[in-house]
Amino acid sequence: MRESAVKDRILGTASRLFYDQGYHVTGINQIIEEADIARASLYNHFPSKTDLLLAYLDQTHKEWFMALDAYLFPLAEPRDKILALFDYRIQRQRRLKYKGCHFNKITAETCEDEQVFRRVKMHKERFRQYIRDLVAQTQHHSSLDDEMLTDALFLLLEGGIAVGAMFRSSDDAEKAKLIAEFFL
Amino acid sequence: MRESAVKDRILGTASRLFYDQGYHVTGINQIIEEADIARASLYNHFPSKTDLLLAYLDQTHKEWFMALDAYLFPLAEPRDKILALFDYRIQRQRRLKYKGCHFNKITAETCEDEQVFRRVKMHKERFRQYIRDLVAQTQHHSSLDDEMLTDALFLLLEGGIAVGAMFRSSDDAEKAKLIAEFFL
DNA sequence: GGCAAAGTAGACAGACTTGTCTATTTTATG
DNA sequence: CATAAAATAGACAAGTCTGTCTACTTTGCC
Protein backbone atom coordinates (compact mmCIF):
# COMPACT_ATOMS: atom_id res chain seq x y z
CA MET A 1 0.00 0.00 0.00
CA ARG A 2 1.24 3.44 -0.83
CA GLU A 3 2.17 6.05 1.68
CA SER A 4 -0.95 7.32 3.32
CA ALA A 5 -2.58 10.45 2.00
CA VAL A 6 -2.56 11.80 5.53
CA LYS A 7 1.22 11.61 5.77
CA ASP A 8 1.53 13.41 2.45
CA ARG A 9 -0.80 16.12 3.63
CA ILE A 10 1.14 16.60 6.85
CA LEU A 11 4.48 16.85 5.08
CA GLY A 12 3.06 19.06 2.35
CA THR A 13 1.52 21.49 4.77
CA ALA A 14 4.55 21.52 7.03
CA SER A 15 6.85 22.12 4.08
CA ARG A 16 4.81 25.02 2.86
CA LEU A 17 4.69 26.61 6.29
CA PHE A 18 8.34 25.99 7.11
CA TYR A 19 9.33 27.71 3.91
CA ASP A 20 6.78 30.50 3.87
CA GLN A 21 6.89 31.55 7.51
CA GLY A 22 9.98 29.87 8.89
CA TYR A 23 10.55 26.72 10.89
CA HIS A 24 10.50 28.15 14.38
CA VAL A 25 7.42 30.28 14.02
CA THR A 26 5.47 27.36 12.60
CA GLY A 27 3.84 25.42 15.41
CA ILE A 28 2.58 21.86 15.42
CA ASN A 29 -0.87 23.25 16.13
CA GLN A 30 -0.89 25.28 12.94
CA ILE A 31 0.27 22.32 10.87
CA ILE A 32 -2.47 20.15 12.34
CA GLU A 33 -5.09 22.77 11.70
CA GLU A 34 -4.12 23.60 8.13
CA ALA A 35 -3.49 20.00 7.13
CA ASP A 36 -6.80 19.16 8.77
CA ILE A 37 -5.55 16.05 10.49
CA ALA A 38 -5.49 14.81 14.05
CA ARG A 39 -2.68 15.55 16.42
CA ALA A 40 -1.98 11.87 17.03
CA SER A 41 -1.73 11.24 13.30
CA LEU A 42 1.11 13.70 13.03
CA TYR A 43 3.02 12.20 15.91
CA ASN A 44 2.32 8.75 14.52
CA HIS A 45 4.07 9.55 11.24
CA PHE A 46 6.67 11.95 12.62
CA PRO A 47 7.85 11.31 16.18
CA SER A 48 8.98 14.90 16.63
CA LYS A 49 9.04 18.27 14.95
CA THR A 50 12.68 17.68 14.10
CA ASP A 51 11.78 14.53 12.18
CA LEU A 52 9.30 16.60 10.24
CA LEU A 53 12.01 19.12 9.45
CA LEU A 54 14.39 16.44 8.21
CA ALA A 55 11.66 14.90 6.07
CA TYR A 56 10.97 18.36 4.65
CA LEU A 57 14.60 18.80 3.70
CA ASP A 58 14.89 15.35 2.15
CA GLN A 59 11.69 15.80 0.19
CA THR A 60 12.67 19.25 -1.01
CA HIS A 61 16.09 18.05 -2.09
CA LYS A 62 14.60 15.17 -4.06
CA GLU A 63 11.92 17.23 -5.71
CA TRP A 64 14.34 20.03 -6.50
CA PHE A 65 16.66 17.89 -8.59
CA MET A 66 13.85 15.99 -10.25
CA ALA A 67 12.27 19.23 -11.38
CA LEU A 68 15.66 20.49 -12.54
CA ASP A 69 16.27 17.35 -14.61
CA ALA A 70 12.86 17.72 -16.17
CA TYR A 71 13.50 21.38 -16.93
CA LEU A 72 16.84 20.77 -18.65
CA PHE A 73 15.82 17.56 -20.42
CA PRO A 74 14.52 19.18 -23.64
CA LEU A 75 17.78 21.07 -24.14
CA ALA A 76 20.58 19.53 -26.17
CA GLU A 77 23.53 21.91 -25.78
CA PRO A 78 25.38 21.94 -22.46
CA ARG A 79 25.73 25.70 -22.77
CA ASP A 80 21.96 26.07 -23.04
CA LYS A 81 21.55 23.81 -20.06
CA ILE A 82 23.86 25.97 -18.00
CA LEU A 83 21.94 29.11 -18.87
CA ALA A 84 18.71 27.27 -18.16
CA LEU A 85 19.93 26.72 -14.61
CA PHE A 86 19.37 30.42 -14.09
CA ASP A 87 15.93 30.29 -15.67
CA TYR A 88 14.97 27.31 -13.56
CA ARG A 89 15.79 29.09 -10.37
CA ILE A 90 14.29 32.38 -11.49
CA GLN A 91 11.00 30.75 -12.38
CA ARG A 92 10.99 28.84 -9.16
CA GLN A 93 11.61 31.97 -7.15
CA ARG A 94 8.86 33.77 -8.95
CA ARG A 95 6.47 30.99 -8.01
CA LEU A 96 7.69 30.97 -4.42
CA LYS A 97 7.34 34.74 -4.08
CA TYR A 98 11.08 35.34 -3.83
CA LYS A 99 11.64 33.87 -0.42
CA GLY A 100 14.97 32.45 -1.47
CA CYS A 101 16.66 29.10 -1.29
CA HIS A 102 15.10 26.56 1.08
CA PHE A 103 18.48 25.43 2.30
CA ASN A 104 19.80 28.91 2.80
CA LYS A 105 16.71 29.70 4.83
CA ILE A 106 16.98 26.75 7.13
CA THR A 107 20.68 27.36 7.62
CA ALA A 108 19.87 30.85 8.81
CA GLU A 109 17.36 29.50 11.30
CA THR A 110 18.86 26.35 12.76
CA CYS A 111 22.53 26.78 13.42
CA GLU A 112 23.53 23.84 15.48
CA ASP A 113 21.69 20.76 14.29
CA GLU A 114 24.20 18.46 12.65
CA GLN A 115 21.57 16.50 10.73
CA VAL A 116 20.24 19.65 9.15
CA PHE A 117 23.74 20.87 8.40
CA ARG A 118 24.61 17.59 6.63
CA ARG A 119 21.58 17.79 4.37
CA VAL A 120 22.24 21.39 3.42
CA LYS A 121 25.85 20.66 2.53
CA MET A 122 24.85 17.60 0.56
CA HIS A 123 22.29 19.50 -1.45
CA LYS A 124 24.61 22.37 -2.32
CA GLU A 125 27.58 20.16 -3.07
CA ARG A 126 25.47 18.11 -5.39
CA PHE A 127 24.30 21.22 -7.19
CA ARG A 128 27.87 22.37 -7.59
CA GLN A 129 28.74 18.96 -9.04
CA TYR A 130 25.79 19.28 -11.39
CA ILE A 131 27.25 22.52 -12.73
CA ARG A 132 30.73 21.02 -12.88
CA ASP A 133 29.48 18.18 -15.07
CA LEU A 134 27.82 20.62 -17.45
CA VAL A 135 30.90 22.82 -17.62
CA ALA A 136 33.03 19.79 -18.48
CA GLN A 137 30.85 19.16 -21.52
CA THR A 138 31.06 22.75 -22.75
CA GLN A 139 33.81 24.33 -24.82
CA HIS A 140 33.72 27.78 -23.40
CA HIS A 141 35.97 30.65 -24.41
CA SER A 142 36.63 31.78 -20.88
CA SER A 143 40.00 32.58 -19.40
CA LEU A 144 38.89 30.77 -16.25
CA ASP A 145 39.57 27.07 -16.02
CA ASP A 146 36.73 24.62 -15.62
CA GLU A 147 36.84 24.54 -11.86
CA MET A 148 36.83 28.31 -11.50
CA LEU A 149 34.10 28.66 -14.06
CA THR A 150 32.06 26.17 -12.09
CA ASP A 151 32.55 28.18 -8.94
CA ALA A 152 31.75 31.44 -10.69
CA LEU A 153 28.47 30.09 -12.02
CA PHE A 154 27.59 28.52 -8.69
CA LEU A 155 28.33 31.70 -6.75
CA LEU A 156 26.48 33.91 -9.20
CA LEU A 157 23.46 31.65 -8.92
CA GLU A 158 23.50 31.46 -5.15
CA GLY A 159 24.21 35.15 -4.86
CA GLY A 160 21.43 36.03 -7.24
CA ILE A 161 18.87 33.99 -5.34
CA ALA A 162 20.01 35.18 -1.92
CA VAL A 163 19.96 38.82 -2.95
CA GLY A 164 16.65 38.23 -4.69
CA ALA A 165 15.20 37.13 -1.36
CA MET A 166 16.38 40.31 0.31
CA PHE A 167 14.85 42.46 -2.44
CA ARG A 168 11.88 40.25 -3.19
CA SER A 169 12.83 40.37 -6.84
CA SER A 170 14.41 38.32 -9.60
CA ASP A 171 16.41 41.24 -10.94
CA ASP A 172 19.69 40.09 -9.50
CA ALA A 173 19.29 36.53 -10.70
CA GLU A 174 18.59 37.91 -14.18
CA LYS A 175 21.74 40.00 -13.95
CA ALA A 176 23.65 36.94 -12.80
CA LYS A 177 22.53 35.17 -15.95
CA LEU A 178 23.70 38.03 -18.15
CA ILE A 179 27.09 37.97 -16.47
CA ALA A 180 27.29 34.21 -16.90
CA GLU A 181 26.70 34.56 -20.63
CA PHE A 182 29.97 36.46 -20.86
CA PHE A 183 31.87 33.41 -19.67
CA LEU A 184 30.29 30.90 -21.96
CA MET B 1 24.85 62.32 29.41
CA ARG B 2 25.82 59.40 27.22
CA GLU B 3 23.59 56.45 26.50
CA SER B 4 23.37 54.30 29.56
CA ALA B 5 25.69 51.35 29.90
CA VAL B 6 22.67 49.20 30.63
CA LYS B 7 21.13 49.98 27.27
CA ASP B 8 24.37 49.14 25.54
CA ARG B 9 24.58 45.84 27.36
CA ILE B 10 21.02 44.95 26.43
CA LEU B 11 21.54 45.73 22.76
CA GLY B 12 24.92 44.06 22.68
CA THR B 13 23.66 40.86 24.24
CA ALA B 14 20.52 40.81 22.11
CA SER B 15 22.56 41.37 18.96
CA ARG B 16 24.90 38.54 19.75
CA LEU B 17 22.06 36.15 20.50
CA PHE B 18 19.93 37.21 17.53
CA TYR B 19 22.83 36.55 15.23
CA ASP B 20 24.25 33.43 16.86
CA GLN B 21 21.04 31.56 17.60
CA GLY B 22 18.40 33.34 15.59
CA TYR B 23 15.82 35.97 16.45
CA HIS B 24 12.86 33.73 17.17
CA VAL B 25 14.65 31.24 19.38
CA THR B 26 16.10 34.03 21.49
CA GLY B 27 13.74 34.92 24.31
CA ILE B 28 13.55 38.07 26.36
CA ASN B 29 14.33 35.97 29.41
CA GLN B 30 17.63 34.82 27.96
CA ILE B 31 18.63 38.34 27.00
CA ILE B 32 17.84 39.58 30.50
CA GLU B 33 19.78 36.77 32.08
CA GLU B 34 22.89 37.04 29.91
CA ALA B 35 22.96 40.82 29.92
CA ASP B 36 22.45 40.63 33.67
CA ILE B 37 19.91 43.41 33.79
CA ALA B 38 16.39 43.73 35.10
CA ARG B 39 13.34 42.93 33.05
CA ALA B 40 11.89 46.41 33.48
CA SER B 41 15.13 47.97 32.30
CA LEU B 42 14.83 46.18 29.01
CA TYR B 43 11.24 47.24 28.48
CA ASN B 44 12.14 50.73 29.56
CA HIS B 45 14.72 51.08 26.78
CA PHE B 46 12.98 48.93 24.18
CA PRO B 47 9.17 48.86 24.32
CA SER B 48 8.97 45.53 22.53
CA LYS B 49 11.09 42.74 21.15
CA THR B 50 10.53 44.15 17.68
CA ASP B 51 12.06 47.47 18.72
CA LEU B 52 15.07 45.55 19.93
CA LEU B 53 15.29 43.82 16.56
CA LEU B 54 15.14 47.09 14.66
CA ALA B 55 17.78 48.61 16.93
CA TYR B 56 19.93 45.55 16.29
CA LEU B 57 19.64 46.01 12.54
CA ASP B 58 20.35 49.74 12.69
CA GLN B 59 23.33 49.21 14.94
CA THR B 60 24.72 46.40 12.81
CA HIS B 61 24.30 48.45 9.65
CA LYS B 62 26.12 51.39 11.15
CA GLU B 63 28.95 49.38 12.65
CA TRP B 64 29.33 47.34 9.44
CA PHE B 65 30.06 50.33 7.24
CA MET B 66 32.22 52.05 9.80
CA ALA B 67 34.39 48.96 10.11
CA LEU B 68 34.52 48.69 6.33
CA ASP B 69 35.63 52.28 5.95
CA ALA B 70 38.32 51.72 8.54
CA TYR B 71 39.45 48.55 6.80
CA LEU B 72 39.79 50.18 3.38
CA PHE B 73 41.17 53.48 4.60
CA PRO B 74 44.87 52.53 4.41
CA LEU B 75 44.54 51.44 0.79
CA ALA B 76 45.15 53.92 -1.99
CA GLU B 77 44.24 52.10 -5.19
CA PRO B 78 40.54 51.55 -5.92
CA ARG B 79 41.38 48.10 -7.29
CA ASP B 80 42.99 47.16 -3.99
CA LYS B 81 39.98 48.48 -2.15
CA ILE B 82 37.68 46.31 -4.22
CA LEU B 83 39.70 43.20 -3.50
CA ALA B 84 39.85 44.19 0.15
CA LEU B 85 36.05 44.04 0.22
CA PHE B 86 36.44 40.30 -0.03
CA ASP B 87 39.05 40.19 2.68
CA TYR B 88 36.91 42.33 4.95
CA ARG B 89 34.01 39.98 4.70
CA ILE B 90 36.14 36.87 4.91
CA GLN B 91 37.81 38.05 8.10
CA ARG B 92 34.50 39.07 9.56
CA GLN B 93 33.00 35.68 8.77
CA ARG B 94 35.93 33.91 10.35
CA ARG B 95 35.39 35.89 13.50
CA LEU B 96 31.65 35.24 13.45
CA LYS B 97 32.13 31.50 12.93
CA TYR B 98 30.73 31.54 9.41
CA LYS B 99 27.12 32.18 10.27
CA GLY B 100 26.68 34.38 7.24
CA CYS B 101 25.34 37.83 6.58
CA HIS B 102 23.25 39.37 9.37
CA PHE B 103 20.76 40.74 6.90
CA ASN B 104 20.46 37.54 4.96
CA LYS B 105 19.80 35.72 8.22
CA ILE B 106 17.07 38.02 9.39
CA THR B 107 15.44 37.97 5.97
CA ALA B 108 15.25 34.20 6.19
CA GLU B 109 13.58 34.41 9.58
CA THR B 110 11.16 37.30 9.41
CA CYS B 111 9.35 37.39 6.13
CA GLU B 112 6.60 39.85 6.53
CA ASP B 113 7.78 42.73 8.64
CA GLU B 114 8.02 45.78 6.43
CA GLN B 115 10.32 47.68 8.78
CA VAL B 116 12.82 44.83 8.76
CA PHE B 117 12.52 44.48 5.01
CA ARG B 118 13.25 48.16 4.49
CA ARG B 119 16.41 48.05 6.57
CA VAL B 120 17.72 44.97 4.78
CA LYS B 121 17.15 46.53 1.37
CA MET B 122 18.75 49.77 2.46
CA HIS B 123 21.83 48.01 3.76
CA LYS B 124 22.35 45.93 0.65
CA GLU B 125 21.64 48.74 -1.75
CA ARG B 126 24.12 50.90 0.02
CA PHE B 127 26.73 48.19 -0.22
CA ARG B 128 26.07 47.84 -3.92
CA GLN B 129 26.49 51.58 -4.28
CA TYR B 130 29.74 51.36 -2.34
CA ILE B 131 31.04 48.88 -4.91
CA ARG B 132 29.70 50.96 -7.78
CA ASP B 133 31.65 53.99 -6.56
CA LEU B 134 34.85 51.99 -6.34
CA VAL B 135 34.33 50.48 -9.79
CA ALA B 136 33.85 53.96 -11.25
CA GLN B 137 37.29 54.92 -9.97
CA THR B 138 38.98 51.88 -11.46
CA GLN B 139 40.21 51.40 -15.00
CA HIS B 140 39.56 47.71 -15.37
CA HIS B 141 40.24 45.64 -18.48
CA SER B 142 36.96 43.80 -18.30
CA SER B 143 34.55 43.25 -21.17
CA LEU B 144 31.75 44.00 -18.77
CA ASP B 145 30.62 47.58 -18.40
CA ASP B 146 30.81 49.31 -15.04
CA GLU B 147 27.29 48.45 -14.00
CA MET B 148 27.63 44.77 -14.83
CA LEU B 149 31.00 44.59 -13.16
CA THR B 150 29.45 46.10 -10.06
CA ASP B 151 26.73 43.48 -10.09
CA ALA B 152 29.20 40.69 -10.70
CA LEU B 153 31.31 41.72 -7.72
CA PHE B 154 28.28 42.21 -5.54
CA LEU B 155 26.81 38.83 -6.43
CA LEU B 156 30.09 37.01 -6.03
CA LEU B 157 30.48 38.54 -2.59
CA GLU B 158 26.96 37.79 -1.46
CA GLY B 159 27.10 34.32 -2.95
CA GLY B 160 30.43 33.59 -1.33
CA ILE B 161 29.19 34.60 2.11
CA ALA B 162 25.85 32.80 1.78
CA VAL B 163 27.48 29.59 0.59
CA GLY B 164 30.10 29.99 3.27
CA ALA B 165 27.36 29.94 5.88
CA MET B 166 25.99 26.70 4.49
CA PHE B 167 29.43 25.07 4.54
CA ARG B 168 30.76 26.85 7.61
CA SER B 169 33.80 27.83 5.62
CA SER B 170 35.41 30.75 3.86
CA ASP B 171 36.50 28.67 0.88
CA ASP B 172 33.83 30.00 -1.42
CA ALA B 173 34.43 33.61 -0.51
CA GLU B 174 38.12 33.04 -1.24
CA LYS B 175 37.20 31.58 -4.60
CA ALA B 176 34.94 34.54 -5.24
CA LYS B 177 37.91 36.81 -4.71
CA LEU B 178 40.05 34.86 -7.16
CA ILE B 179 37.31 35.10 -9.76
CA ALA B 180 36.96 38.81 -9.12
CA GLU B 181 40.65 39.32 -9.78
CA PHE B 182 40.10 38.17 -13.35
CA PHE B 183 37.78 41.08 -13.96
CA LEU B 184 40.00 43.74 -12.56
C1' DG C 1 -18.78 -10.02 8.80
C1' DG C 2 -14.76 -9.54 11.63
C1' DC C 3 -10.59 -7.57 13.03
C1' DA C 4 -6.53 -4.91 12.97
C1' DA C 5 -4.66 -0.64 11.47
C1' DA C 6 -5.24 4.15 10.82
C1' DG C 7 -7.33 8.27 11.85
C1' DT C 8 -9.98 11.50 15.05
C1' DA C 9 -11.07 14.61 18.95
C1' DG C 10 -9.59 16.61 22.71
C1' DA C 11 -7.82 16.87 27.39
C1' DC C 12 -3.61 17.42 29.67
C1' DA C 13 1.26 18.35 31.53
C1' DG C 14 5.01 21.19 31.95
C1' DA C 15 7.56 24.44 30.21
C1' DC C 16 8.15 28.46 27.78
C1' DT C 17 6.69 33.12 25.62
C1' DT C 18 5.98 38.48 25.72
C1' DG C 19 4.70 42.14 28.27
C1' DT C 20 2.82 44.57 32.70
C1' DC C 21 3.00 45.92 37.22
C1' DT C 22 4.49 46.88 42.08
C1' DA C 23 7.76 47.88 45.38
C1' DT C 24 12.34 48.68 46.52
C1' DT C 25 17.11 50.17 45.95
C1' DT C 26 20.76 52.33 43.61
C1' DT C 27 22.69 56.09 41.08
C1' DA C 28 23.46 60.67 39.36
C1' DT C 29 23.11 65.48 39.70
C1' DG C 30 21.78 70.07 41.26
C1' DC D 1 22.12 66.50 51.39
C1' DA D 2 18.06 66.02 48.70
C1' DT D 3 15.47 64.76 44.96
C1' DA D 4 14.51 62.72 40.62
C1' DA D 5 15.82 59.30 37.41
C1' DA D 6 17.33 54.74 36.59
C1' DA D 7 17.83 50.17 37.73
C1' DT D 8 16.43 46.06 40.39
C1' DA D 9 13.79 41.77 41.83
C1' DG D 10 10.12 39.27 41.11
C1' DA D 11 5.22 38.18 40.83
C1' DC D 12 1.79 37.84 37.45
C1' DA D 13 -1.44 37.36 33.25
C1' DA D 14 -2.62 35.22 29.23
C1' DG D 15 -1.10 32.86 25.85
C1' DT D 16 1.88 29.64 23.25
C1' DC D 17 4.80 25.64 22.63
C1' DT D 18 5.83 20.31 22.12
C1' DG D 19 4.64 15.95 23.15
C1' DT D 20 1.61 12.25 25.62
C1' DC D 21 -2.40 9.97 26.52
C1' DT D 22 -7.21 8.13 26.44
C1' DA D 23 -11.32 6.97 24.19
C1' DC D 24 -13.76 6.68 20.08
C1' DT D 25 -14.64 6.14 15.00
C1' DT D 26 -13.48 5.09 10.44
C1' DT D 27 -11.10 2.48 7.02
C1' DG D 28 -9.10 -1.36 4.49
C1' DC D 29 -8.48 -6.10 3.84
C1' DC D 30 -8.93 -11.19 4.46
Side-chain angles (χ1 to χ4, degrees), chain B residues 128-142:
Chain B
R128 198 204 300 263
Q129 185 60 46
Y130 202 106
I131 299 172
R132 190 179 287 123
D133 291 344
L134 287 174
V135 167
Q137 297 167 43
T138 318
Q139 40 251 48
H140 51 89
H141 45 274
S142 169

Side-chain angles (χ1 to χ4, degrees), chain A residues 64-78:
Chain A
W64 199 96
F65 276 103
M66 277 183 44
L68 176 59
D69 283 334
Y71 192 83
L72 300 192
F73 178 75
L75 302 174
E77 292 300 315

Side-chain angles (χ1 to χ4, degrees), chain A residues 139-157:
Chain A
Q139 42 252 48
H140 52 91
H141 46 272
S142 167
S143 46
L144 289 82
D145 64 29
D146 277 18
E147 192 56 26
M148 276 186 82
L149 179 55
T150 300
D151 288 326
L153 293 167
F154 179 56
L155 293 174
L156 285 170
L157 273 160

Side-chain angles (χ1 to χ4, degrees), chain B residues 77-137:
Chain B
E77 292 300 314
R79 185 179 186 277
D80 292 337
K81 283 180 189 274
I82 289 176
L83 291 175
L85 291 174
F86 290 85
D87 298 325
Y88 170 67
R89 299 200 67 172
I90 288 166
Q91 286 187 24
R92 193 162 249 260
Q93 282 301 302
R94 183 169 303 130
R95 185 161 47 79
L96 296 173
K97 304 268 179 62
Y98 307 110
K99 280 185 276 289
C101 168
H102 293 72
F103 297 85
N104 178 41
K105 279 201 84 173
I106 204 63
T107 299
E109 266 201 279
T110 75
C111 302
E112 305 305 325
D113 192 311
E114 204 57 38
Q115 294 184 286
V116 171
F117 188 37
R118 212 182 59 232
R119 282 164 171 84
V120 170
K121 272 195 297 191
M122 202 253 287
H123 176 78
K124 287 302 174 192
E125 206 43 76
R126 182 135 142 207
F127 182 47
R128 198 204 300 263
Q129 185 60 46
Y130 202 106
I131 299 172
R132 190 179 287 123
D133 291 344
L134 287 174
V135 167
Q137 297 167 43

Side-chain angles (χ1 to χ4, degrees), chain A residues 11 13-28 31 49-50 52-54 56-57 102 105-106 109, chain B residues 108 111:
Chain A
L11 184 53
T13 303
S15 297
R16 175 174 55 81
L17 294 172
F18 288 169
Y19 181 71
D20 284 352
Q21 315 182 334
Y23 172 70
H24 283 113
V25 295
T26 301
I28 298 288
I31 297 170
K49 195 183 171 186
T50 301
L52 200 43
L53 171 59
L54 298 180
Y56 154 66
L57 293 176
H102 293 71
K105 278 200 85 173
I106 204 65
E109 264 200 280
Chain B
C111 302

